[in-house]
Amino acid sequence: GLGLGTTITFASSHWLLAWMGLEMNTLAIIPIMAHLHHPRAVEATTKYFLTQATAAAMLLFASTTNAWLTGQWDIQQMTHPLPVTMITLALALKIGLAPVHSWLPEVLQGLDLTTGLILSTWQKLAPFALLLQIYPANSTLLIILGLLSTLVGGWGGLNQTQLRKILAYSSIAHLGWMILILQFSPSLTLLALLTYLVMTFST
């Protein structure tokens, strides 16, 4: 389910299909997160589900608004500033960029390390692929999100004593740098993403 969801989002040029892939991703990881039947894991799963459902609803609303305003569903033909802004914020909520990051440390803290690894690497790929496709239209917003994330990620991690929360803030900071450099050099962003994946896997 996880693999198929991400692949569908990667392969789609239609917003509805991309949304479907993201939904499959979310629904596939829910049982993996809750399989321990520990109150912490169930709480983390619930928080994750509510956050991702909000982001998905926002994404669907924005893409429908885009179809209504411009008459087409193509991901790379995003021209109207309103749906572009809404979709960027929905994707920021999905991957946990500041200022909509606060769910990520809490959710990660309640999971075991393997599930945490899937959450902080694989689950970020599909929304990131969508951000890569719509980035030229909303550079100011992306710069603000990126700067905020690097600052929040850097400062938030300093005060932590728990490994998973440190990793969560590290994720926020790394994503901030990636989003910041996205509009200037997408290939550098992909290199940073690859480096982040390798470092997180090894940790």
Side-chain angles (χ1 to χ4, degrees):
L2 280 174
L4 191 62
T6 305
T7 310
I8 286 174
T9 304
F10 275 6
S12 60
S13 59
H14 191 287
W15 272 119
L16 206 58
L17 207 59
W19 169 80
M20 205 187 308
L22 291 171
E23 280 296 274
M24 282 179 69
N25 241 3
T26 304
L27 293 174
I29 202 173
I30 294 291
I32 300 173
M33 289 167 77
H35 80 281
L36 290 173
H37 292 299
H38 189 273
R40 288 191 72 94
V42 174
E43 183 191 345
T45 308
T46 311
K47 284 176 180 171
Y48 181 76
F49 176 71
L50 291 173
T51 311
Q52 297 298 312
T54 308
M58 197 171 160
L59 187 88
L60 190 60
F61 175 63
S63 49
T64 314
T65 308
N66 182 58
W68 180 48
L69 291 169
T70 62
Q72 45 84 28
W73 284 87
D74 202 299
I75 292 175
Q76 293 186 327
Q77 302 293 323
M78 294 291 286
T79 48
H80 202 283
L82 179 67
V84 166
T85 305
M86 281 197 296
I87 278 175
T88 307
L89 288 171
L91 292 172
L93 181 58
K94 265 207 173 292
I95 57 176
L97 285 174
V100 283
H101 68 284
S102 52
W103 63 272
L104 184 57
E106 297 300 319
V107 168
L108 215 54
Q109 184 57 32
L111 303 174
D112 62 333
L113 284 171
T114 317
T115 316
L117 174 68
I118 298 171
L119 186 67
S120 46
T121 55
W122 185 260
Q123 291 296 88
K124 305 279 170 79
L125 295 179
F128 215 84
L130 293 175
L131 274 173
L132 265 170
Q133 292 180 68
I134 63 165
Y135 74 87
N138 51 357
S139 52
T140 318
L141 179 61
L142 280 181
I143 287 174
I144 293 167
L145 287 170
L147 277 173
L148 264 174
S149 297
T150 52
L151 294 172
V152 166
W155 281 331
L158 292 177
N159 204 23
Q160 300 301 327
T161 53
Q162 293 155 320
L163 173 69
R164 291 174 186 80
K165 281 196 174 175
I166 294 171
L167 287 172
Y169 280 107
S170 147
S171 167
I172 294 164
H174 277 88
L175 283 166
W177 288 116
M178 288 175 223
I179 293 296
L180 203 52
I181 210 73
L182 182 65
Q183 51 236 312
F184 307 112
S185 175
S187 51
L188 260 183
T189 293
L190 290 174
L191 181 64
L193 182 62
L194 192 65
T195 314
Y196 167 70
L197 293 185
V198 170
M199 287 195 299
T200 312
F201 260 91
S202 59
T203 313

